[in-house]
Amino acid sequence: MKKLLVLLLAALMLTAAVALAEPADTVIYANIYTSDTQMPWAQAVAIRDGVFTYVGDAEGVSAFIGENTEVQTYEQGIMTPNLIDAHTHPATVGMTNWHTRIGVPETYDELMATLRGYLDEHTAEEQPFVYFEYYPSAMFDTKGPRKEWLDEIAPDRPILVRDFSDHASWVNSKFLELCGVYALEEGHPALESFVRDETGDFTGWIKEFSYTELLPNMWEALGWQPDEEPTIPVMSVVTDDLKRWGVTGVFDAYLEDEIQAQSIHDMDVAGQLNMYYDMSVVLSDFADLQETIDFIHTIDETYGTEHVTMRTMKIFYDGTNELGDSALIDGTVEDPDNHGYMIFDYEQTKEVIRACNAAGIDVHFHLVGDLAFRTICDVTEELLSELGGLDIQVEMCHCEYVDEADMTRPAQLGIIINWTPHWSGGYFGDGAKQYLGEDRYNKMYQFNTMIDSGAIFTFGSDVYSMFEENRANPYFGMQTAMTRVDIEWPLEEGMRPSEDAKLSLEKLLKGYTIDAAIQLRVDDVTGSISVGKRANYNLYPVNLFDVPEEEFKDVLPAVVVFEGQVIAENN
């Protein structure tokens, strides 16, 4: 009886609200996928002053139609919330436009011929330093490439060839010389990037990014420097494409330079940004923890707006499976005692999260190995018990190989998981297999158990160069995640193991909308088509649920609306 009265009261309140409804600016009749669990589907919406004032059936919206209401009807297609890219690098992508793109030659001979041909055609006067993209991550054995091989084709000009994983590089002797590597004292932090052989000599293989602090030495020696500041024109190349694809929310996973924050701020103030934009700063050294916290607050206070925020610390916690330095419980196949690395030990990790919690800063961990995943879960669990809860978000991105025993822990601990859908096929080849072995390799990229257990699960493109900017297209990523076949770089066997790891469209849309909005802390205004939220939506000419999985990459919204205003149209 009590339940009946409650339902009756709710119905009366809804009737009263409708009766008092102000006329809408716009009413839309459409097939609407809301991403709201309370009402997953609707037939109509009303919008006033850029906010949804009604979401429901076609009959109920009639109360919101006034003399000046614009009524739109879409009998075909579908309406969804705008999408959110919850891990990407718009500035970095724009800044790499000067790099030399050679594709990804499959063999060593093909690669060397391509490099030699380019260097013969472009003089040192034209390009004093050449940054090539890419060589395949699995091209070399566990000792990596050698500088001497590049010296044969470039003895007098510095060159760098980037690993396809974007976590390693191959350089020649001239590069090492001009960067001043040989002049550094042992223990210098920048030397951590440079791999050495058994004699202690630098091999020419560089892992990760600490080498970048030595680049000014080379620029000075050459009397030349590339133009790569993250200015508005540089970044707009990427943000304009994102909006064209219906993406109006971004988590920028790496602040390259303060100019980047200023550019995003200025775009928003000028009314050009038209998206929610959250930025992060990387913590590379535990000793810099407080300084990094202070810097994050300063950037947020200086450049923050209604749409622009800086409230996340990014940590590259372990390496990659393709380079054999991810943190693994059982070690690598060749050396079970080699468990990879983690940038911070357990107690340091705990202190980082504790300090960020006190400062109100979310922590976003880049990690790929099961030991790294388990460690963050263990630390979070201990802090939850010790503090009685956390006021911040602990986020883990990539999580490529997770032990089955830890699959349900993110849901239990409130940890947000972020995945890169366009990696779900064969993008990185099978380079991880030589370190993980066949069994663990086949268990990579398995997320359905995690999602089904209730974890907040988001998606991002993590594109890092202009070479792969097209893969920031979310429909490209969705197709790859639904089929496990890479559109551009399929494996020889076609589908990446396994069939039951394919993600459904429902899970993908949830991760690209409401879950991503939670990660960016904008779920009060976007992420679902719900009363009271801003009118952020995409209108598609086809019903996404009718599109064959193998054709999903060709999807494109006809209209993209941000806060009630059309910001992109695709014919």
Side-chain angles (χ1 to χ4, degrees):
M1 184 66 176
K2 183 177 180 181
K3 183 177 181 181
L4 181 61
L5 290 173
V6 170
L7 291 173
L8 181 60
L9 180 60
L12 289 172
M13 291 175 64
L14 178 61
T15 301
V18 170
L20 296 172
E22 292 186 79
D25 299 321
T26 306
V27 162
I28 302 174
Y29 295 95
N31 188 28
I32 303 166
Y33 185 79
T34 68
S35 284
D36 185 339
T37 56
Q38 301 302 311
M39 185 192 296
W41 293 92
Q43 298 172 324
V45 296
I47 301 168
R48 182 179 176 84
D49 296 329
V51 174
F52 291 116
T53 56
Y54 174 86
V55 178
D57 59 33
E59 182 178 351
V61 79
S62 59
F64 294 82
I65 299 176
E67 183 179 348
N68 298 314
T69 301
E70 178 185 1
V71 178
Q72 303 173 7
T73 301
Y74 294 89
E75 296 180 354
Q76 305 295 325
I78 194 172
M79 174 193 284
T80 75
N82 290 155
L83 307 182
I84 296 172
D85 191 322
H87 184 122
T88 193
H89 303 272
T92 310
V93 171
M95 291 164 61
T96 64
N97 224 352
W98 65 277
H99 293 178
T100 298
R101 295 183 278 278
I102 58 171
V104 189
E106 294 184 4
T107 67
Y108 175 81
D109 289 342
E110 182 186 353
L111 171 64
M112 297 303 285
T114 301
L115 299 180
R116 182 182 289 108
Y118 186 89
L119 293 171
D120 288 345
E121 294 177 7
H122 299 83
T123 66
E125 289 73 24
E126 180 184 347
Q127 283 183 267
F129 166 62
V130 187
Y131 189 124
F132 290 105
E133 293 172 339
Y134 290 97
Y135 73 85
S137 300
M139 177 166 282
F140 304 105
D141 62 21
T142 56
K143 293 183 179 180
R146 308 287 299 199
K147 62 182 184 293
E148 291 81 8
W149 304 336
L150 290 180
D151 292 346
E152 293 179 8
I153 61 173
D156 302 316
R157 181 176 13 168
I159 65 172
L160 178 150
V161 192
R162 193 72 170 163
D163 183 302
F164 194 51
S165 72
D166 272 320
H167 282 270
S169 302
W170 175 23
V171 300
N172 64 346
S173 296
K174 197 65 177 179
F175 178 95
L176 297 173
E177 174 194 333
L178 295 185
C179 281
V181 171
Y182 296 104
L184 296 178
E185 294 183 2
E186 288 297 329
H188 192 287
L191 293 179
E192 295 177 4
S193 285
F194 296 87
V195 178
R196 306 193 195 209
D197 62 19
E198 57 277 0
T199 70
D201 188 23
F202 298 107
T203 66
W205 193 22
I206 304 175
K207 293 187 177 183
E208 302 299 348
F209 311 105
S210 65
Y211 77 92
T212 56
E213 67 179 84
L214 303 179
L215 291 178
N217 296 333
M218 184 166 68
W219 306 148
E220 183 177 358
L222 293 173
W224 173 89
Q225 184 172 350
D227 181 15
E228 56 178 4
E229 284 192 341
T231 58
I232 291 176
V234 166
M235 297 189 67
S236 292
V237 173
V238 185
T239 57
D240 285 352
D241 273 345
L242 289 170
K243 287 180 286 189
R244 182 170 62 87
W245 296 325
V247 176
T248 65
V250 164
F251 171 65
D252 191 328
Y254 198 145
L255 186 75
E256 295 278 0
D257 191 287
E258 189 169 339
I259 297 172
Q260 177 180 343
Q262 181 175 341
S263 296
I264 291 298
H265 166 274
D266 292 350
M267 288 169 69
D268 191 43
V269 171
Q272 300 171 357
L273 183 60
N274 293 316
M275 60 171 55
Y276 307 101
Y277 202 103
D278 187 29
M279 298 175 286
S280 66
V281 170
V282 171
L283 174 66
S284 301
D285 190 322
F286 182 75
D288 298 332
L289 176 57
Q290 189 56 52
E291 180 181 347
T292 304
I293 288 173
D294 293 341
F295 182 68
I296 290 173
H297 285 318
T298 298
I299 293 294
D300 192 48
E301 292 166 4
T302 306
Y303 301 107
T305 69
E306 179 186 4
H307 300 118
V308 179
T309 54
M310 164 69 77
R311 50 192 172 207
T312 306
M313 182 180 291
K314 166 78 176 292
I315 298 171
F316 289 98
Y317 199 60
D318 69 345
T320 73
N321 289 317
E322 289 73 28
L323 296 176
D325 54 6
S326 60
L328 300 170
I329 294 172
D330 295 325
T332 64
V333 171
E334 289 187 346
D335 182 4
D337 292 326
N338 175 14
H339 299 281
Y341 82 91
M342 290 185 287
I343 188 174
F344 304 137
D345 63 27
Y346 188 93
E347 290 303 320
Q348 289 175 325
T349 304
K350 185 177 175 183
E351 182 55 33
V352 167
I353 297 178
R354 186 201 305 275
C356 285
N357 186 61
I361 293 172
D362 296 332
V363 191
H364 191 89
F365 290 95
H366 158 113
L367 59 87
V368 302
D370 58 349
L371 178 58
F373 187 94
R374 177 170 292 179
T375 301
I376 299 302
C377 287
D378 288 346
V379 169
T380 302
E381 186 170 20
E382 184 174 339
L383 281 171
L384 286 170
S385 177
E386 180 182 316
L387 302 176
L390 290 172
D391 297 321
I392 63 167
Q393 293 176 170
V394 176
E395 303 160 5
M396 295 193 286
C397 67
H398 309 326
C399 310
E400 295 183 12
Y401 176 65
V402 180
D403 189 275
E404 292 179 5
D406 296 319
M407 283 288 184
T408 62
R409 297 185 73 189
Q412 296 165 359
L413 300 171
I415 295 174
I416 295 175
I417 304 298
N418 174 267
W419 169 237
T420 310
H422 76 89
W423 292 359
S424 300
Y427 192 43
F428 296 120
D430 59 1
K433 195 178 295 185
Q434 64 181 319
Y435 299 104
L436 298 183
E438 187 84 23
D439 183 61
R440 284 185 293 181
Y441 172 81
N442 288 340
K443 292 179 180 177
M444 290 172 65
Y445 311 168
Q446 306 276 337
F447 300 114
N448 276 313
T449 298
M450 217 176 286
I451 298 172
D452 293 340
S453 69
I456 297 173
F457 206 98
T458 71
F459 300 106
S461 63
D462 198 22
V463 292
Y464 206 75
S465 71
M466 191 58 71
F467 173 87
E468 60 177 4
E469 194 256 1
N470 67 300
R471 301 175 74 99
N473 182 332
Y475 316 105
F476 186 111
M478 290 186 200
Q479 175 171 324
T480 309
M482 288 189 286
T483 62
R484 302 280 287 190
V485 176
D486 192 276
I487 298 164
E488 296 178 323
W489 310 97
L491 299 170
E492 287 186 9
E493 59 270 31
M495 190 191 78
R496 199 190 198 292
S498 59
E499 182 78 28
D500 59 7
K502 293 179 178 179
L503 298 179
S504 68
L505 179 56
E506 290 87 347
K507 288 176 179 176
L508 288 161
L509 287 175
K510 183 173 184 287
Y512 271 109
T513 56
I514 188 60
D515 277 11
I518 292 171
Q519 181 189 311
L520 269 63
R521 295 186 177 273
V522 291
D523 54 304
D524 59 329
V525 295
T526 195
S528 66
I529 296 176
S530 308
V531 172
K533 292 192 178 184
R534 296 176 187 171
N536 301 323
Y537 59 91
N538 297 334
L539 288 166
Y540 298 89
V542 294
N543 189 328
L544 301 184
F545 291 88
D546 294 335
V547 178
E549 294 175 351
E550 63 276 8
E551 298 176 12
F552 214 84
K553 69 181 187 305
D554 300 320
V555 165
L556 201 61
V559 179
V560 180
V561 175
F562 179 73
E563 298 187 346
Q565 301 297 315
V566 175
I567 62 168
E569 294 183 89
N570 297 293
N571 297 324

